[in-house]
Amino acid sequence: MTSAPLKGAGLVEAGPLADGTGTAAQTVRPSRPRRRGRSAPYWFLVPTLTLFAAFTVVPIGYAIWLSLHRVQVKGIGLGKGARQQVWNGLGNYTDVLKDSEFGHSVLRAFGYGLIVIPTMLGLALLFALMLDTPRARSAPFARLAIFLPYAVPGIIAALMWGFLYLPDVSPFYYLLDKLGLPQPDLFDGGNLYLSFANIAVWGGTGFNMIVIYTALRAIPPDIYEAARIDGASDLKIALRIKVPIVLPSLVLTFFFSVIATLQVFTEPMALKPLTNGLPSSWSPLMAIYDKAFLQSDIYGASATAVVLALATFVLSFTLLRISDRYTREDRA
Amino acid sequence: MTPLTLTAGPKGGRRTAWVPTLVLLLGALYCLIPIAWVVVAATKDRSELFSTFTFAPGSGFFRNLSDLTAYRDGIFWRWMANSAFYAGLGALLSAAVSAAGGYALGRFAFRGREAVFKMILAGVLVPSIVLAVPQYLLLSKLGMADSYLAMLLPSILSPYGVYLVRIYAAASVPAELMEAARMDGASEWRIFSRIAVPMMMPGLITVFLFQFVGIWNNFLLPYVMLADDEKFPITLGLYTLLAQGASQPALYTLVITGCLLAVLPLIGLFLVIQRFWSLDLLSGSVKA
């Protein structure tokens, strides 16, 4: 599901909330409607809150309810009333913690994240700095080209790369063959992580680059002017001035990349038909889907989903706290 | 662009900076390769796909196109139409809902404003499958699973959209103007629809485009919600086609041609609206 809300892209969207809310709070000069119109904001919020209740609050509540229940089968489980939902306390949760399949899927997601996140953000920062370098040619073209993958649905990106990984079709294998080099199996073991990671890097770099580049452009040019008069080179200016200033955006893109990584779904799903023996619970989301619909255990699946949500929240707050500290030190 | 002022630094000159240029071109190449490949591969017929050099154009594009159109009575085009419907209507509704919600949060002081705002933003952090599975179970209780609505309704609320409009409304709709309109006896609805919405339009267009791309690209939600392939969006449709291709490689050329056709509208949209696409907004740096 790295595709829609998760593509790193989808999530980075909310990235600036730390800065943004601050800006908003400053600029909001609430008008004071007298008597008439006092209820207006509530009316305007009705659609938002209705949808939020129906498609966020209620489903989460239902998932928690399910996670605390299980099905009890009477007799051979046939006939009316033979299957009943009964209270199961934390039983499903202890099962989740013992479930090595889910544990492995989380470990795989972390391994995948260790490859994707540094590569993607490193490239995004590099390209953003290069775009911001005076006298770089073809910057507008490159900016568009690098951002273009954002418009490609994650699943289609994964399908395209999947074909490019097939030895019979791929130009890379053709080159290796001509050069007489060994040809790795990109669908095998450890290479599989690289294959998935490459798709995510391809799809996510452009968006993160734009976020960082936007932060770079907000820096007043006089700062460089002064540094330049002091004899600083472009490289020095980039490392000593630009990188520290865009650190808060980097931290935020990192934050949303971590969350997206935990939810990796699209790439392994798309490449599954092309590979043999990719487990159907490769990533945490796949494990939950597998449990809910292939093993028809919606109770266990709900407990797993709640655990994943809690882990995401804990991770988010930890990261946000760290990013807060960074931002403050930066201002100090 | 701002760097213009920099070209006259002490080292001055108009020499091209070769390293940055080279790095950028390599990056562009990496990003364009798969797209270039799919364009070329879509021109190859079944035998050419596996036998000729990757970037050698084939001769089968029109046959692939007609094969794809003929496949199961043109279900491919049905998927494209479904995607356009889900993404178009969903994004439109999303922009409308975000406009009202963001305007309320950005332009009014009322009890619980911050709590509501934070609650909605926290929605971003909930993993999509945590929502999709219970949404599916609840909708199937209502007999609505596997329907157009099951795909459309959960796509409307966009926490990011509400967030963005809030900032945009606060920055672009002057309180004085609202106050003046109130003095003149305009209703709150009229102030919103006639004054605020036009002023927030660039922000609303951004919300619409983001949500359009988001829904068009969504795979997990339809994968969970839909079973009847007549209602599939293009992402899920091509995925099932590929899954079948694993046993019938003849379908591979159809998948590749389908990928090209599915990507073209978005890339086209992208190039056209580039100028409207408010990238500064995207990182929240609105300057009033």
Side-chain angles (χ1 to χ4, degrees):
Chain A
M1 159 94 272
T2 312
S3 91
L6 304 173
K7 191 171 183 169
L11 276 167
V12 173
E13 291 160 12
L17 90 190
D19 289 358
T21 39
T23 324
Q26 283 155 20
T27 32
V28 174
R29 263 174 294 134
S31 52
R32 239 177 261 148
R34 302 167 197 101
R35 267 176 301 158
R36 192 174 57 78
R38 185 156 290 194
S39 63
Y42 299 104
W43 285 111
F44 287 128
L45 275 171
V46 165
T48 305
L49 291 180
T50 310
L51 288 167
F52 187 72
F55 293 102
T56 306
V57 178
V58 172
I60 290 176
Y62 187 55
I64 293 174
W65 188 87
L66 283 174
S67 74
L68 299 171
H69 287 77
R70 67 187 168 86
V71 150
Q72 194 170 49
V73 182
K74 277 185 195 158
I76 53 166
L78 294 174
K80 214 179 169 191
R83 296 169 67 85
Q84 273 185 324
Q85 285 181 336
V86 294
W87 177 255
N88 193 26
L90 295 176
N92 293 328
Y93 288 96
T94 49
D95 287 348
V96 172
L97 298 179
K98 277 187 268 173
D99 179 5
S100 66
E101 232 173 90
F102 181 65
H104 282 133
S105 73
V106 173
L107 286 180
R108 285 188 205 106
F110 270 107
Y112 161 86
L114 278 180
I115 307 171
V116 172
I117 298 174
T119 316
M120 180 172 74
L121 297 185
L123 284 176
L125 178 65
L126 177 70
F127 291 143
L129 287 170
M130 297 296 119
L131 281 179
D132 199 46
T133 310
R135 292 176 288 124
R137 290 276 174 88
S138 65
F141 161 74
R143 189 177 58 158
L144 187 64
I146 297 171
F147 191 35
L148 207 55
Y150 176 71
V152 177
I155 192 90
I156 289 178
L159 294 181
M160 294 194 307
W161 277 107
F163 281 109
L164 288 174
Y165 294 156
L166 285 178
D168 288 342
V169 185
S170 172
F172 310 118
Y173 279 98
Y174 182 86
L175 275 180
L176 290 175
D177 189 36
K178 290 280 149 182
L179 296 171
L181 293 169
Q183 307 183 358
D185 180 359
L186 291 171
F187 292 115
D188 180 54
N191 287 338
L192 204 56
Y193 285 82
L194 293 177
S195 305
F196 293 161
N198 174 55
I199 301 170
V201 168
W202 184 78
T205 299
F207 189 91
N208 291 306
M209 171 191 79
I210 294 289
V211 172
I212 299 168
Y213 179 60
T214 311
L216 278 174
R217 277 204 314 178
I219 305 175
D222 343 349
I223 296 184
Y224 310 136
E225 212 73 57
R228 221 169 279 270
I229 288 166
D230 291 344
S233 64
D234 279 345
L235 182 67
K236 242 187 189 147
I237 290 178
L239 292 178
R240 297 281 173 80
I241 303 180
K242 293 180 179 178
V243 172
I245 291 185
V246 298
L247 202 58
S249 339
L250 262 180
V251 173
L252 277 165
T253 51
F254 175 76
F255 167 68
F256 285 100
S257 308
V258 170
I259 293 176
T261 296
L262 267 182
Q263 304 192 36
V264 54
F265 184 73
T266 310
E267 292 89 1
M269 282 301 289
L271 295 194
K272 213 165 154 270
L274 295 172
T275 57
N276 291 320
L278 185 71
S280 58
S281 58
W282 193 84
S283 80
L285 255 61
M286 288 168 75
I288 294 170
Y289 183 89
D290 186 70
K291 203 164 210 141
F293 297 111
L294 303 179
Q295 303 172 26
S296 300
D297 177 12
I298 54 172
Y299 307 94
S302 297
T304 317
V306 171
V307 169
L308 182 69
L310 285 177
T312 311
F313 272 110
V314 171
L315 199 63
S316 309
F317 285 114
T318 317
L319 288 175
L320 274 183
R321 182 144 297 178
I322 297 171
S323 93
D324 246 17
R325 194 172 303 159
Y326 265 108
T327 325
R328 267 189 219 128
E329 271 172 16
D330 208 59
R331 279 183 195 141
Chain B
M1 280 200 304
T2 34
L4 267 181
T5 50
L6 298 179
T7 46
K11 283 188 189 165
R14 297 193 164 269
R15 287 172 301 123
T16 304
W18 286 110
V19 175
T21 307
L22 195 66
V23 169
L24 286 174
L25 287 178
L26 283 176
L29 184 69
Y30 167 62
C31 289
L32 291 177
I33 277 182
I35 295 172
W37 174 80
V38 83
V39 171
V40 174
T43 66
K44 299 186 183 198
D45 67 26
R46 280 168 211 171
S47 56
E48 287 168 335
L49 181 64
F50 292 105
S51 59
T52 60
F53 173 63
T54 319
F55 281 103
S59 55
F61 179 68
F62 291 102
R63 239 193 67 198
N64 290 340
L65 198 61
S66 63
D67 282 356
L68 185 64
T69 303
Y71 179 72
R72 297 206 25 223
D73 298 329
I75 196 158
F76 173 82
W77 295 106
R78 174 143 194 148
W79 293 335
M80 290 286 271
N82 287 342
S83 271
F85 171 74
Y86 293 133
L89 188 58
L92 199 65
L93 291 171
S94 186
V97 169
S98 302
Y103 172 69
L105 291 167
R107 286 282 50 166
F108 290 88
F110 58 92
R111 277 173 69 103
R113 182 178 74 166
E114 290 310 306
V116 167
F117 184 57
K118 283 188 180 140
M119 193 176 69
I120 291 171
L121 274 190
V124 173
L125 297 179
V126 183
S128 47
I129 196 148
V130 176
L131 295 176
V133 172
Q135 278 169 355
Y136 168 78
L137 297 171
L138 287 166
L139 284 170
S140 53
K141 287 199 171 178
L142 297 173
M144 282 165 67
D146 194 20
S147 69
Y148 282 97
L149 280 179
M151 174 63 197
L152 193 61
L153 289 177
S155 313
I156 296 175
L157 181 66
S158 156
Y160 173 67
V162 175
Y163 159 79
L164 204 145
V165 175
R166 173 188 159 135
I167 293 181
Y168 209 83
S172 67
V173 184
E176 296 78 16
L177 197 62
M178 291 169 62
E179 205 54 51
R182 274 189 199 113
M183 296 291 186
D184 291 346
S187 68
E188 290 295 332
W189 170 251
R190 209 176 155 80
I191 296 174
F192 170 69
S193 59
R194 295 294 167 82
I195 299 176
V197 167
M199 295 184 110
M200 298 189 297
M201 205 41 100
L204 298 182
I205 291 175
T206 307
V207 173
F208 175 86
L209 294 173
F210 261 112
Q211 201 61 5
F212 190 93
V213 174
I215 299 174
W216 185 286
N217 291 359
N218 201 343
F219 173 68
L220 186 117
L221 186 70
Y223 189 66
V224 169
M225 286 289 175
L226 303 176
D228 171 14
D229 63 8
E230 294 273 305
K231 302 189 186 89
F232 281 4
I234 189 69
T235 46
L236 187 54
L238 284 176
Y239 175 73
T240 53
L241 205 55
L242 179 77
Q244 289 167 31
S247 52
Q248 302 166 256
L251 289 176
Y252 280 164
T253 50
L254 295 191
V255 176
I256 291 170
T257 312
C259 280
L260 174 66
L261 295 175
V263 166
L264 282 182
L266 274 191
I267 292 183
L269 181 77
F270 213 72
L271 294 177
V272 173
I273 50 87
Q274 231 214 124
R275 59 187 67 200
F276 303 110
W277 190 293
S278 183
L279 286 176
D280 291 330
L281 254 184
L282 177 143
S283 53
S285 60
V286 177
K287 294 200 181 74

